[in-house]
Amino acid sequence: MEHSSEEQDIHWADEAEAIKTNKPLKFVLILFKIMPTFLIHALSIPVAFFFFIFSSHARRAARSYQKQLRKFTGGKIPSKISGYTQIINFTLCVLEKMEGWLGKVRFDRINYQKDDVSEVIDLLRQGKGVLLITSHLGNMELLRSLQNYNTELCGREVPVVIIMDMNVSEQFTKTMKEINPDYSMNVVDASNVGPDSMIYISEQAEKGALIVVAGDRTSAQNRQKIIRKSFLGKEASFPYGVFLLTSLLKLPTFYMFGMRSRLSIFSPKYNVHIEKSLIDFNGPRSEREARISECCGEYAKKLEKFCLMYPYQWYNFFNFWA
């Protein structure tokens, strides 16, 4: 069946929230408290199957992404087009997010790479702020382990400020706040970033906070403010505001990807990759726009790199190239 261009080109923010009520999430929380974690992970199998059967747009988006990835790699990656594999990875990711908020993700399940994580740790130890640009590839919630890790090394609680669109995932955000309201992480609504919130973000950065923002979804409010960059061999839209923010904060900037190392419900392991941006925003103001574009291009290349390494952990279930 052919689908209309309007359906294919729908903006990600216009997709209906998958979870209409927080009752299922609360039920899972109860299960986390009374059942072994691996049994809860096992629930992802029937849930993913249900999602796969009844969410046609998710199936189409997963297959479209995987086909583009195969075209980009000359048919090498992924070895098999499987929307279900991508969806079951997503289901596990949602459960793992809840684990992160409950503080149940142990350090021994996370493998930090020999990349730029040591520089992030050194900066936080010195009380300096850091900007982490993440994505919807993998699980950005694994940064919580980085926060705790640095708390031990720095002898201080490292504040985390995450910039996200709170309206699009309202039920999930509401439930996560109920889970752990005292967690030292503040959320700034990306749809309402203005002078006051910029002052707040800057103040937190001066206090040595981790500032976190995803760079792979365009703004729900300012949809025309985009940067077009090649991604997996085809032009895609990236959010101008994220890279403008990077230029204004002028913090040490790193790209972070938290990935599951293998698809398993028993003792899952994770790889956290952190790589430093090479773009310097301390140059003349006249060069700012060019450097914003360059930073976005650098991010797109990092995103490509980790899509090749973890092809089924892409959780943008919409036409990314629309």
Side-chain angles (χ1 to χ4, degrees):
M1 175 185 284
E2 293 296 326
H3 299 279
S4 68
S5 60
E6 182 180 357
E7 181 183 8
Q8 288 293 307
D9 293 348
I10 189 171
H11 191 273
W12 71 269
D14 292 332
E15 293 281 3
E17 187 173 6
I19 301 172
K20 306 290 186 183
T21 171
N22 64 357
K23 289 182 180 179
L25 295 175
K26 288 187 174 181
F27 176 67
V28 173
L29 288 177
I30 294 172
L31 295 182
F32 265 121
K33 294 178 181 179
I34 63 176
M35 293 173 60
T37 300
F38 79 91
L39 288 179
I40 301 170
H41 284 180
L43 292 174
S44 64
I45 298 172
V47 170
F49 183 74
F50 181 88
F51 187 40
F52 178 76
I53 294 298
F54 291 100
S55 183
S56 59
H57 82 275
R59 291 199 308 270
R60 289 194 303 273
R63 290 180 62 85
S64 175
Y65 152 74
Q66 290 179 34
K67 287 179 179 179
Q68 185 63 37
L69 190 56
R70 288 202 78 179
K71 182 178 179 181
F72 181 69
T73 60
K76 297 177 181 178
I77 300 173
S79 57
K80 178 183 178 183
I81 300 293
S82 174
Y84 179 70
T85 302
Q86 190 168 326
I87 287 172
I88 196 172
N89 270 284
F90 171 68
T91 308
L92 279 169
C93 179
V94 173
L95 293 175
E96 289 162 356
K97 284 175 182 285
M98 299 179 80
E99 282 187 87
W101 279 77
L102 288 167
K104 292 172 70 74
V105 178
R106 302 188 313 271
F107 290 155
D108 61 4
R109 286 165 55 183
I110 297 175
N111 179 29
Y112 287 98
Q113 309 303 297
K114 294 180 180 179
D115 45 26
D116 294 321
V117 65
S118 58
E119 187 169 349
V120 173
I121 292 170
D122 287 342
L123 288 165
L124 293 173
R125 185 186 294 126
Q126 297 168 35
K128 296 181 179 179
V130 171
L131 175 64
L132 294 181
I133 304 182
T134 63
S135 71
H136 294 83
L137 176 73
N139 183 0
M140 69 179 75
E141 298 294 328
L142 293 178
L143 70 89
R144 296 175 187 284
S145 66
L146 179 65
Q147 182 197 25
N148 291 335
Y149 185 34
N150 282 291
T151 300
E152 293 181 3
L153 289 180
C154 300
R156 70 180 181 96
E157 189 173 309
V158 180
V160 176
V161 176
I162 186 165
I163 304 167
M164 62 180 288
D165 195 309
M166 297 174 66
N167 295 324
V168 177
S169 56
E170 182 179 359
Q171 292 297 339
F172 189 81
T173 303
K174 177 182 177 182
T175 306
M176 294 301 99
K177 285 184 176 179
E178 290 179 9
I179 293 172
N180 198 347
D182 297 325
Y183 202 91
S184 61
M185 185 171 85
N186 300 296
V187 178
V188 173
D189 190 351
S191 63
N192 291 310
V193 172
D196 290 343
S197 50
M198 280 300 301
I199 291 172
Y200 169 76
I201 293 168
S202 297
E203 287 176 346
Q204 292 300 307
E206 289 176 3
K207 294 177 182 178
L210 283 168
I211 312 298
V212 185
V213 63
D216 61 342
R217 289 190 182 177
T218 56
S219 171
Q221 302 298 319
N222 300 309
R223 301 186 181 187
Q224 303 307 313
K225 298 293 288 183
I226 60 173
I227 305 174
R228 297 286 287 178
K229 289 293 179 183
S230 177
F231 173 66
L232 298 178
K234 191 175 179 181
E235 274 207 344
S237 297
F238 292 88
Y240 174 83
V242 169
F243 301 97
L244 173 63
L245 175 71
T246 306
S247 72
L248 295 175
L249 290 176
K250 296 182 181 179
L251 292 172
T253 300
F254 299 80
Y255 305 113
M256 177 194 160
F257 298 87
M259 316 302 298
R260 189 182 308 103
S261 62
R262 60 192 176 93
L263 184 58
S264 172
I265 63 173
F266 300 102
S267 300
K269 301 290 186 179
Y270 311 98
N271 295 328
V272 173
H273 303 264
I274 297 180
E275 298 188 3
K276 188 176 183 179
S277 170
L278 301 179
I279 309 304
D280 183 4
F281 284 104
N282 290 310
R285 185 181 177 86
S286 60
E287 297 178 4
R288 188 173 71 181
E289 291 301 318
R291 297 193 184 198
I292 287 173
S293 178
E294 189 178 355
C295 186
C296 180
E298 182 184 56
Y299 172 78
K301 291 298 181 185
K302 298 292 184 185
L303 198 58
E304 275 185 353
K305 171 183 174 180
F306 291 103
C307 280
L308 296 180
M309 293 173 65
Y310 305 93
Y312 294 119
Q313 294 185 50
W314 175 257
Y315 306 137
N316 282 312
F317 291 104
F318 58 92
N319 182 0
F320 196 77
W321 293 269

